[in-house]
Amino acid sequence: EMTERLKSPQAIAWRTRVVEQQPEVATNRLELARTSLLFGDVAGADRTLRAIKTSDATADFHMLSAMTAFSQNNLLAAEEQCSQAARLEPENTFLQFNLAVLHLQSSNSITYASAVKTLEKLSANPAHCHDALRNLIAAALKRQEFGQANNYSTQLLAAQPLIFTDRVLHLTVLKESDSPEFGKYLSSLESLAGQEANNLPVLGTWLRAHQMSDEAIQWLLHLPVKMRVERGARELLAECYADRGEWAQVESLLTNENWTDLDFIRLALLAQAHR
């Protein structure tokens, strides 16, 4: 548990030791599978789960199997495992949520509608509110149901706590629906992001992903001085100049800087500019 909290892959080795000490205890293998997934060892999780007896298949076993199948891009197997978990614990709202999210991918209109109904119901539950609405927004955008997407996004903005990435998700809804509110809302987010260094790369990355590097440069150049000199702001500005092929600007910005433990990023960007 300590190595997991330290985000160290050594956690897998320690979980393996526990299984070796008590191979007959199914929960030890479940914990090993969960830890393997946590650190991206999908094949290891799959092997561990296959070693568990069918008679020991609990709801947790099926959920971990579903997560493993999903990581292997096997949506049918993931859906089947989620369904079995939900049958074992029909009152477990987390299992209902996971199954509904998988069903949102379905091309069957009845299955899709049922998933939407489930997530709308779960959005009233504080434990699922934010994630349910985020998935409903993504599904509505994918189907170009912009009115629905805006409705869900408005609900998400009213939910507490409100985080900056949810504001940016609303920006995506306005952008993709060609809303006349887009420009005004973007300006409000630029002002908000300019007050908190952690929000700068979130909005900056969004702007670059939507081919709006010109807008990002103008925004960054007009930040308050104390924010403009932040490493994150300078890195983002260099990347925007790179998007436009303005390599002299990149070089000028990054020369004679020192980003301490992240200076390798500066050097990589500088090397790109020299090349």
Side-chain angles (χ1 to χ4, degrees):
E1 290 172 359
M2 288 172 63
T3 48
E4 277 187 16
R5 292 190 182 191
L6 292 169
K7 304 188 187 309
S8 168
Q10 284 289 327
I12 297 175
W14 285 111
R15 290 288 186 196
T16 302
R17 289 279 297 278
V18 174
V19 171
E20 290 170 350
Q21 293 291 317
Q22 294 180 313
E24 73 285 355
V25 181
T27 52
N28 290 342
R29 294 187 187 275
L30 289 177
E31 287 298 319
L32 173 57
R34 181 186 60 77
T35 301
S36 297
L37 286 173
L38 183 65
F39 290 96
D41 184 6
V42 179
D46 189 36
R47 286 194 302 273
T48 301
L49 290 168
R50 290 178 185 278
I52 295 176
K53 297 177 183 177
T54 307
S55 58
D56 292 327
T58 61
D60 284 343
F61 166 82
H62 289 299
M63 273 314 305
L64 286 167
S65 296
M67 292 166 64
T68 302
F70 189 80
S71 298
Q72 295 169 327
N73 204 31
N74 188 343
L75 297 184
L76 286 176
E79 181 182 351
E80 174 58 26
Q81 293 292 343
C82 272
S83 297
Q84 290 190 47
R87 281 195 290 270
L88 288 173
E89 294 185 13
E91 301 303 316
N92 189 322
T93 56
F94 287 95
L95 299 181
Q96 294 171 25
F97 170 82
N98 288 329
L99 184 58
V101 169
L102 279 172
H103 281 166
L104 280 182
Q105 316 303 317
S106 176
S107 57
N108 184 298
S109 59
I110 296 176
T111 301
Y112 176 82
S114 176
V116 168
K117 186 175 180 180
T118 298
L119 289 173
E120 287 179 339
K121 179 181 177 181
L122 289 173
S123 69
N125 184 329
H128 302 289
C129 176
H130 293 77
D131 285 332
L133 289 171
R134 288 169 191 143
N135 279 279
L136 286 168
I137 293 166
L141 286 176
K142 184 177 180 180
R143 297 165 75 94
Q144 297 188 330
E145 297 172 352
F146 299 122
Q148 280 286 69
N150 189 62
N151 178 42
Y152 295 136
S153 188
T154 302
Q155 292 179 53
L156 183 58
L157 291 178
Q160 294 298 324
L162 176 60
I163 60 176
F164 190 74
T165 51
D166 289 335
R167 296 180 189 270
V168 174
L169 180 56
H170 186 64
L171 185 66
T172 302
V173 173
L174 296 178
K175 172 74 171 173
E176 295 198 15
S177 60
D178 291 322
S179 170
E181 296 294 315
F182 172 75
K184 181 180 177 181
Y185 193 72
L186 173 58
S187 295
S188 71
L189 286 195
E190 288 178 342
S191 297
L192 194 61
Q195 301 168 21
E196 175 56 59
N198 290 336
N199 293 334
L200 285 177
V202 178
L203 183 57
T205 299
W206 187 94
L207 289 168
R208 293 183 65 222
H210 288 81
Q211 289 77 53
M212 297 180 68
S213 294
D214 290 355
E215 171 76 24
I217 289 171
Q218 291 306 309
W219 163 54
L220 291 166
L221 290 177
H222 290 88
L223 286 173
V225 175
K226 67 175 184 178
M227 295 297 292
R228 203 160 61 236
V229 297
E230 286 279 338
R231 184 203 61 78
R234 298 182 74 74
E235 178 183 344
L236 187 56
L237 185 58
E239 290 173 335
C240 290
Y241 281 134
D243 291 339
R244 303 203 315 186
E246 296 181 5
W247 304 112
Q249 291 279 30
V250 176
E251 186 176 347
S252 175
L253 186 69
L254 299 179
T255 302
N256 300 323
E257 293 262 315
N258 186 343
W259 292 357
T260 61
D261 58 327
L262 293 176
D263 207 43
F264 66 93
I265 296 177
R266 179 185 70 88
L267 293 171
L269 288 168
L270 195 54
Q272 184 184 16
H274 288 321
R275 180 181 175 187

